[in-house]
Amino acid sequence: MAAMHLVASDPLEAMTAGIFEAAGTPADLAAEVARHLVSANLAGHDSHGVIRIPAYLQQIESGRLAADGRPVVVHETAATAIVDANRGFGQVGAAHALQVAIGKASSAGAGVVSIRRCGHIGRLGHYAETAAAQGFISMIVYGNMGPGTGLTAPFGGARRHLGTNPWSFGVPSGETQPVVVDFATTVVAEGKVQVARAKHAELQPGQIVDKDGHPSTNPEDLYAGGMLLPAAGHKGYGLSLVASLLGAGLTAEEVPDNGVGAGVVVMAIDPRAFGALETFTATIDNLSAGVEAVAPAPGFEKVLLPGGPEAASRASRRANGVPIAPDTWDVISGAAAKLGVAVAPLLA
Ligand SMILES: NC(=O)c1ccc[n+]([C@@H]2O[C@H](COP(=O)([O-])OP(=O)(O)OC[C@H]3O[C@@H](n4cnc5c(N)ncnc54)[C@H](O)[C@@H]3O)[C@@H](O)[C@H]2O)c1
């Protein structure tokens, strides 16, 4: 594996925002996207960080992504809303939808918001962390499906039909860290295959199959017609299917005639609607401490709370810099230079 470059997070974020501004994104939206991408790198999820810049630029160039698309609420009730992201950045649409959901939860106890015409929303845990920091429970889900639509075969199927269809849940706490559960419903997220490919690394067995359905550990096989496998067989498949049914069903304007659909759903719950906030957060602290105190199994140091690995990565990468594969760095620093944006310095 090639040695990684190290870049400090603040200049990396400034460079990322500069790139999107230069590509036609208003400064406030570019800042939101840059914050999201670098926060994914800080959290240790490089698959959803700055590695995405070239793909987003390509989507802007091809007209698929509207660099200046601003989300708007197009329909609402006391506890629900539909946001139209106007083909803009998913990070911008989802951040807006989350605040709409939190606003509804503040007044109605819970808020459910769907998002249509939305770009890639990035790392879902980002929104769950944001909601938890504001004292709200959250659920964020994205799903897409249809013949040839995603890279995943349904359980028992031998063709691509589902996306990686991730779910995230966030639970605010008092003294302990918030619990943030955030994962794709495939054994491995596609972005992680991209990262392995960029590093010229092998995948773990059981994550992908090649175009003929044979097990493979070579990331290139996925991009040569292969498939991702659902996590835990029929169970991951079920979660993946419901992600798509909710996303597509709650954003549909007309009935699809070919089994193709996609969308995002964001939910916020105000714990205060169920009792005193202090009782809720102290209960979460108590339960979380209990699970963390479980004796570790052989080979494990300790039981972690979901969200813990990301918090640890954030602390370390803020202090020491964000590692970026040289191939990835060449592409994104090249894009910055081409657009006249100052390239962030590499750390020694
Ligand atoms: N926008 C999209 O379309 C899309 C699609 C797929 C995935 N994603 C994102 O990709 C990212 C990676 O997904 P993934 O499936 O590879 O996630 P993953 O397998 O890395 O799992 C991450 C989750 O598991 C928890 N976790 C990890 N190790 C743990 C441990 N030892 N004990 C307890 N909890 C632990 C983490 O805190 C986190 O909640 C996610 O952020 C997801 O939102 C986005």
Side-chain angles (χ1 to χ4, degrees):
M1 202 192 298
M4 302 288 269
H5 291 322
L6 278 179
V7 191
S9 55
D10 286 348
L12 182 61
E13 191 173 314
M15 176 177 108
T16 304
I19 290 174
F20 291 124
E21 266 194 74
T25 307
D28 58 329
L29 308 191
E32 179 78 52
V33 179
R35 189 160 49 243
H36 182 112
L37 293 181
V38 174
S39 128
N41 285 111
L42 286 171
H45 291 283
D46 297 325
S47 53
H48 289 72
V50 294
I51 197 173
R52 299 278 171 168
I53 292 173
Y56 292 163
L57 290 175
Q58 261 171 22
Q59 288 175 18
I60 292 171
E61 212 169 297
S62 72
R64 187 175 149 204
L65 174 64
D68 57 354
R70 275 190 195 272
V72 287
V73 171
V74 290
H75 174 81
E76 64 185 321
T77 69
T80 67
I82 302 175
V83 164
D84 187 332
N86 280 318
R87 296 189 304 103
F89 278 100
Q91 288 88 350
V92 171
H96 179 69
L98 179 70
Q99 292 311 318
V100 173
I102 285 175
K104 305 250 171 225
S106 303
S107 53
V112 183
V113 178
S114 66
I115 317 174
R116 58 171 65 132
R117 274 187 284 279
C118 188
H120 180 252
I121 67 168
R123 175 180 168 257
L124 274 63
H126 181 85
Y127 312 107
E129 286 162 3
T130 305
Q134 293 179 239
F136 289 82
I137 301 163
S138 64
M139 182 207 82
I140 301 95
V141 62
Y142 166 72
N144 69 305
M145 68 184 293
T149 300
L151 292 172
T152 314
F155 182 67
R159 291 288 178 279
R160 296 172 172 184
H161 200 91
L162 294 160
T164 48
N165 297 358
W167 290 82
S168 181
F169 302 91
V171 183
S173 52
E175 304 291 316
T176 56
Q177 55 152 96
V179 170
V180 175
V181 172
D182 170 31
F183 47 68
T185 51
T186 44
V187 180
V188 66
E190 190 266 331
K192 300 228 163 125
V193 183
Q194 271 189 39
V195 172
R197 189 189 200 192
K199 292 180 184 169
H200 306 290
E202 289 283 294
L203 296 168
Q204 299 289 320
Q207 297 181 327
I208 66 164
V209 289
D210 70 13
K211 65 178 177 10
D212 302 316
H214 298 121
S216 167
T217 55
N218 181 355
E220 298 297 339
D221 281 339
L222 179 64
Y223 303 100
M227 285 159 273
L228 296 170
L229 293 172
H234 62 285
K235 301 182 185 185
Y237 160 58
L239 287 172
S240 174
L241 182 66
V242 172
S244 320
L245 298 181
L246 292 182
L250 297 180
T251 54
E253 290 172 274
E254 53 189 44
V255 181
D257 58 6
N258 51 2
V260 175
V264 180
V265 179
V266 174
M267 181 171 81
I269 299 173
D270 187 354
R272 299 160 197 83
F274 295 81
L277 181 64
E278 299 67 36
T279 311
F280 174 81
T281 53
T283 300
I284 301 305
D285 285 352
N286 187 284
L287 298 175
S288 296
V291 75
E292 281 186 301
V294 170
F300 287 81
E301 221 170 277
K302 70 182 291 248
V303 172
L304 301 176
L305 291 172
E310 287 75 13
S313 169
R314 219 164 3 247
S316 152
R317 289 184 171 194
R318 272 210 190 286
N320 305 315
V322 171
I324 302 182
D327 291 6
T328 306
W329 182 250
D330 289 349
V331 176
I332 62 176
S333 59
K338 195 172 149 202
L339 289 163
V341 174
V343 173
L346 295 178
L347 297 173

